[in-house]
């Protein structure tokens, strides 16, 4: 259940989309949003909080937790994580995460990558993250084309279809034979 917020400027208590962790003296810490909640083994955590903890590890320059697609034979959902680091190996990052988060949320697999596939807006496209996780797990990944190459392939396909339809139209066109009627060879004169 979302915490309710009330105040003089509100007509009635309003549910809060943020998840809060109460602290001393009425203070609180925002640990995530309701929309990014992950539930594993009956426990809940915020992806935003897990990402913040991964990125707070000294030596990790960029990182992200990923909810992989369930595959055949998967018994329980496991989170995966990708991170960028010059010096830290996977075991060390996993050890440091284990000091901070519940074991149910420890990523399996966790993989070090050269860079995360951020787009021009700095966002991480889920399809590309899933492909990296799949590669890290040794599963085959179908090649993914960029938007530009998809557009070029579509234009090429349309052009090819138009060429075929033109050649089909000319080869199926009726022949230009003379109209039926009397001709010199058809009716010999006696």
């Amino acid at each position: 259940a979302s915490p309710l917020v009330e105040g003089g400027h509100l007509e009635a208590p309003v549910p809060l989309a943020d998840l809060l962790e109460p602290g001393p003296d009425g203070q609180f810490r925002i640990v995530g949003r309701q929309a990014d909640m992950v539930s594993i083994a009956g426990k809940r955590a915020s992806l935003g909080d897990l990402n913040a903890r991964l990125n707070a590890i000294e030596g990790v320059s960029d990182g992200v937790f990923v909810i992989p697609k369930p595959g055949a034979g998967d018994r329980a959902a496991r989170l995966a994580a990708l991170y960028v680091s010059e010096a830290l190996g996977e075991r060390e990052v996993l050890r440091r995460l284990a000091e901070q988060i519940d074991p149910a949320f420890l990523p399996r697999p966790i993989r070090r990558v050269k860079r995360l596939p951020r787009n021009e807006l700095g966002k991480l496209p889920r399809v590309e993250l899933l492909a990296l996780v799949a590669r890290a797990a040794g599963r085959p990944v179908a090649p993914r084309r960029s938007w530009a190459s998809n557009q070029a392939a579509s234009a090429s396909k349309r052009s090819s279809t138009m060429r075929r339809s033109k050649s089909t139209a000319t080869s199926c066109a009726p022949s230009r034979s003379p109209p039926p009627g009397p001709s010199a060879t058809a009716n010999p004169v006696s």
Side-chain angles (χ1 to χ4, degrees):
S2 299
L4 296 177
V5 178
E6 50 187 281
H9 61 289
L10 300 172
E11 293 179 22
V14 176
L16 189 61
D18 294 311
L19 296 171
L20 309 176
E21 187 177 273
D25 303 325
Q27 296 179 0
F28 60 88
R29 183 173 150 243
I30 298 175
V31 294
R33 307 226 5 122
Q34 292 288 348
D36 77 346
M37 293 304 299
V38 179
S39 181
I40 298 175
K43 299 175 181 183
R44 292 169 34 130
S46 160
L47 277 178
D49 183 52
L50 294 171
N51 289 337
R53 290 173 187 262
L54 175 59
N55 284 293
I57 294 173
E58 190 174 330
V60 172
S61 59
D62 200 4
V64 65
F65 274 77
V66 180
I67 303 172
K69 287 182 179 177
D74 287 350
R75 292 186 323 219
R78 293 300 311 204
L79 295 175
L82 303 166
Y83 72 96
V84 178
S85 176
E86 292 288 324
L88 297 178
E90 294 165 2
R91 286 186 181 190
E92 179 61 18
V93 172
L94 193 59
R95 185 190 67 74
R96 291 186 189 185
L97 282 172
E99 295 171 356
Q100 304 177 55
I101 63 176
D102 188 284
F105 300 106
L106 288 176
R108 291 181 185 79
I110 182 167
R111 296 293 184 256
R112 180 167 58 176
V113 294
K114 291 183 181 190
R115 68 175 189 79
L116 291 178
R118 293 192 180 274
N119 65 18
E120 58 277 355
L121 299 175
K123 296 186 178 197
L124 293 164
R126 179 163 170 72
V127 171
E128 293 184 32
L129 291 175
L130 291 174
L132 275 175
V133 169
R135 265 189 229 106
R139 292 192 302 262
V141 179
R144 183 173 183 271
R145 296 188 301 202
S146 69
W147 179 85
S149 63
N150 279 339
Q151 294 299 314
S154 293
S156 174
K157 188 175 182 180
R158 282 191 304 271
S159 174
S160 172
T161 303
M162 288 174 62
R163 280 193 303 270
R164 268 191 308 232
S165 63
K166 283 182 182 176
S167 66
T168 304
T170 56
S171 65
C172 295
S175 62
R176 301 217 181 260
S177 50
S183 72
T185 57
N187 293 326
V189 177
S190 24

